[in-house]
Amino acid sequence: MAETPSREPATAPAELPEFTLANVVADIRHGIWALIHDPFVFRIIAPIIIVATSILAKIIVSLVPYTEIDFSTYMQQIRLVNQGVIDYNYIEGDSGPIVYPGGFVQIYQAINYLTNDGTDIPVAQLMFGYVFAATNLLAACCYGMVENMPPWPLYLLVLSKRLFSIYVLRLFNDCFTTICMVAVCLLLQQASYWHAVSNLASFLLTVVAGDVFSVAISIKMNALLYLPGFVIVSYFLVEENLLKFLVVLAVIPFIQVMMGWKFLLPFFHDEGASTIRWNYINNAFNFSRKFLYEWTVNWRFVDETTFLSDNFAHLLLALHVVVLMVFIFTRYLSKRVIGKSIFQLVIDGFKPYTTVAQNNLILDPTVGPRIIFLILATSNVIGVLFSRSLHYQFLAWYCWQLPFLLFMTNWNYLLCFGVWIVHELCWNVFPSTPLSSITLVTILFLVLVGVWANSKVWFHQEDKEKKNV
């Protein structure tokens, strides 16, 4: 006779806490704490931030008058291109000649078409609002690739009055360079994440990142500030394989030729074609162009004579190189990051086979996305810090990275919010003052020092050790 299976006693329901004012207050306090610090809540807050970006952009457009600065000039330049003018010396508008490469032309040709020859400003503002929302979407994805990221840095992405102004009230081309570079960061993070699963997928993602990086350069040259970080990260993502690395690098000039095709005329060698070609190169990639002192946000505490001098430019360049080298040799290429000494790295560079170290953190799916974000963000912000002049629209270059860098300093989050507020105030003083500009430079410098000094975020392998237990 079969035995009757024993029936386990039912588990008693957990007793609910007593409904008291103290418990309600405790629940509210815990909820607020989670909204600020709990990494699980990040995935809830991220879509809210993206939707909020789009809604706030529409509200601002409806309440604040559009301010004309450069958009009409962009459209005047595009009309000349559409009429067949391809000599950069003859493409100009009210505020001056065209100074951006072919990617800028192609993007604003599309905007010109979609806005009835640039006359339908509300449609243009709507488009830029969506570009801002898409940028924050990609930025949130970059943040989400970092292990244990709390929600509070996301809030800072929608708290910049100046940034909304840049996107939906001024319609600057910097917005498109920014979204491209956010995409580059995310692609390289994905390449690191998937490297352990498929070397081919990682390589292809790195190539696509090189493609998008070159598109960003073709819109505005400030993307070149990322170049040191991009080169280093790409080299390790292709496992120090020189042939693959050269493929990634070759994509950059190839895309530049494709974006500026009509101005480069590669199949013609007569004198006229040569003139058009060099006028394009000299105007679109002019590294010697000087900015007006009246628009500078960062060096107002320096007198105008010094600001315009070549000696000051050379000093800034020297400081840029020195600080960048400090980060490269003590952080980016540290033995604790790449798994071997720089001397060994140089020797391995001449070997025809893969020599990447097994403990290279850039290739670790847990730690790698954080390291890649750190390298790209600091490479860019170092360049911003020592830029000869920051105009108001240049905030778009790095504002999406600042909340991440503040988190990486390991400062108290309240201090980080305070620093953000002061930083925002610096960008909303017009015209800038000696106090606002020196405060801005000091903030950027201290954030970089804080990130560099927090060695745990560069070298800490706790996540990796947990994975191996």
Side-chain angles (χ1 to χ4, degrees):
M1 188 174 179
E3 294 183 5
T4 302
S6 60
R7 182 175 298 172
E8 295 183 2
T11 304
E15 185 176 349
L16 294 175
E18 186 178 357
F19 184 73
T20 64
L21 178 61
N23 285 339
V24 171
V25 172
D27 285 343
I28 294 173
R29 187 175 68 252
H30 293 155
I32 293 173
W33 183 92
L35 289 171
I36 297 172
H37 297 291
D38 191 347
F40 178 81
V41 178
F42 180 96
R43 67 194 70 182
I44 300 172
I45 296 300
I48 295 175
I49 292 297
I50 296 156
V51 173
T53 304
S54 183
I55 293 174
L56 285 171
K58 291 180 175 66
I59 292 173
I60 291 170
V61 167
S62 65
L63 296 179
V64 183
Y66 163 74
T67 304
E68 173 55 48
I69 296 182
D70 283 338
F71 185 73
S72 64
T73 294
Y74 296 163
M75 292 298 100
Q76 290 166 355
Q77 293 166 350
I78 294 306
R79 290 184 197 114
L80 290 173
V81 174
N82 289 343
Q83 292 167 12
V85 180
I86 58 174
D87 189 334
Y88 258 49
N89 276 1
Y90 299 98
I91 302 174
E92 57 184 13
D94 290 338
S95 61
I98 188 169
V99 292
Y100 305 117
F104 158 82
V105 172
Q106 295 190 32
I107 285 176
Y108 277 86
Q109 277 182 319
I111 294 173
N112 178 271
Y113 174 78
L114 294 171
T115 59
N116 190 23
D117 198 28
T119 60
D120 197 338
I121 298 298
V123 171
Q125 291 180 289
L126 183 66
M127 292 168 57
F128 274 78
Y130 287 133
V131 169
F132 193 13
T135 301
N136 278 350
L137 168 62
L138 294 176
C141 291
C142 291
Y143 282 54
M145 290 293 295
V146 178
E147 192 77 3
N148 296 320
M149 175 62 69
W152 69 258
L154 287 179
Y155 302 128
L156 301 181
L157 294 176
V158 292
L159 292 182
S160 174
K161 173 186 174 183
R162 175 61 64 184
L163 205 57
F164 275 100
S165 174
I166 291 168
Y167 276 84
V168 299
L169 299 179
R170 307 298 197 270
L171 314 180
F172 285 115
N173 64 323
D174 306 74
C175 306
F176 295 99
T177 303
T178 297
I179 193 172
C180 287
M181 291 314 305
V182 182
V184 169
C185 181
L186 182 58
L187 285 165
L188 294 177
Q189 287 178 305
Q190 290 291 320
S192 171
Y193 183 80
W194 292 105
H195 180 269
V197 177
S198 171
N199 291 349
L200 177 60
S202 180
F203 169 64
L204 292 177
L205 284 167
T206 306
V207 171
V208 174
D211 186 336
V212 180
F213 179 42
S214 188
V215 171
I217 296 171
S218 76
I219 300 170
K220 195 165 186 176
M221 284 197 302
N222 68 281
L224 287 171
L225 296 178
Y226 290 88
L227 186 61
F230 177 83
V231 169
I232 290 171
V233 169
S234 299
Y235 184 65
F236 293 115
L237 286 177
V238 298
E239 299 183 313
E240 301 178 20
N241 184 304
L242 187 57
L243 180 59
K244 289 182 178 179
F245 182 58
L246 291 176
V247 170
V248 173
L249 294 184
V251 166
I252 297 175
F254 175 76
I255 295 300
Q256 289 302 309
V257 172
M258 297 304 296
M259 300 302 285
W261 183 267
K262 68 169 64 178
F263 308 106
L264 291 171
L265 301 171
F267 294 141
F268 298 91
H269 303 283
D270 58 83
E271 184 177 349
S274 179
T275 299
I276 292 172
R277 184 182 303 117
W278 284 111
N279 286 343
Y280 170 73
I281 295 172
N282 291 333
N283 285 275
F285 301 97
N286 184 358
F287 292 93
S288 62
R289 188 159 58 101
K290 292 184 179 181
F291 294 102
L292 296 176
Y293 182 72
E294 64 180 299
W295 293 108
T296 185
V297 180
N298 54 336
W299 297 114
R300 180 71 64 177
F301 60 94
V302 175
D303 65 87
E304 185 170 3
T305 301
T306 301
F307 175 84
L308 295 174
S309 69
D310 291 338
N311 288 337
F312 183 63
H314 296 155
L315 174 63
L316 290 177
L317 179 59
L319 290 172
H320 183 178
V321 172
V322 169
V323 174
L324 186 60
M325 290 299 106
V326 169
F327 271 81
I328 288 175
F329 290 109
T330 65
R331 293 297 181 263
Y332 304 175
L333 298 182
S334 168
K335 184 177 181 179
R336 297 168 67 184
V337 172
I338 65 175
K340 57 185 171 183
S341 67
I342 294 176
F343 177 74
Q344 187 62 48
L345 177 67
V346 174
I347 293 176
D348 290 346
F350 295 95
K351 297 177 181 178
Y353 49 86
T354 296
T355 58
V356 69
Q358 292 296 317
N359 57 341
N360 188 313
L361 295 184
I362 292 175
L363 298 179
D364 183 83
T366 302
V367 183
R370 180 181 71 215
I371 302 295
I372 289 170
F373 202 164
L374 278 167
I375 291 175
L376 292 177
T378 53
S379 175
N380 180 49
V381 174
I382 290 169
V384 169
L385 173 61
F386 296 110
S387 291
R388 179 153 178 173
S389 179
L390 294 178
H391 289 186
Y392 286 91
Q393 66 268 31
F394 295 0
L395 176 61
W397 294 4
Y398 72 95
C399 200
W400 69 276
Q401 297 167 331
L402 188 57
F404 170 75
L405 292 177
L406 286 169
F407 174 63
M408 289 290 110
T409 61
N410 201 32
W411 297 342
N412 181 277
Y413 78 97
L414 292 176
L415 175 61
C416 292
F417 271 91
V419 170
W420 176 272
I421 291 171
V422 176
H423 173 269
E424 176 68 11
L425 290 174
C426 292
W427 280 96
N428 281 280
V429 175
F430 178 81
S432 63
T433 65
L435 178 59
S436 70
S437 62
I438 198 170
T439 302
L440 174 61
V441 170
T442 302
I443 287 174
L444 295 179
F445 177 76
L446 290 178
V447 169
L448 286 171
V449 170
V451 172
W452 182 91
N454 188 16
S455 59
K456 183 175 70 172
V457 299
W458 295 94
F459 310 136
H460 188 47
Q461 298 192 51
E462 179 182 351
D463 296 328
K464 196 171 183 178
E465 289 165 2
K466 287 181 180 177
K467 183 179 67 176
N468 294 331
V469 170

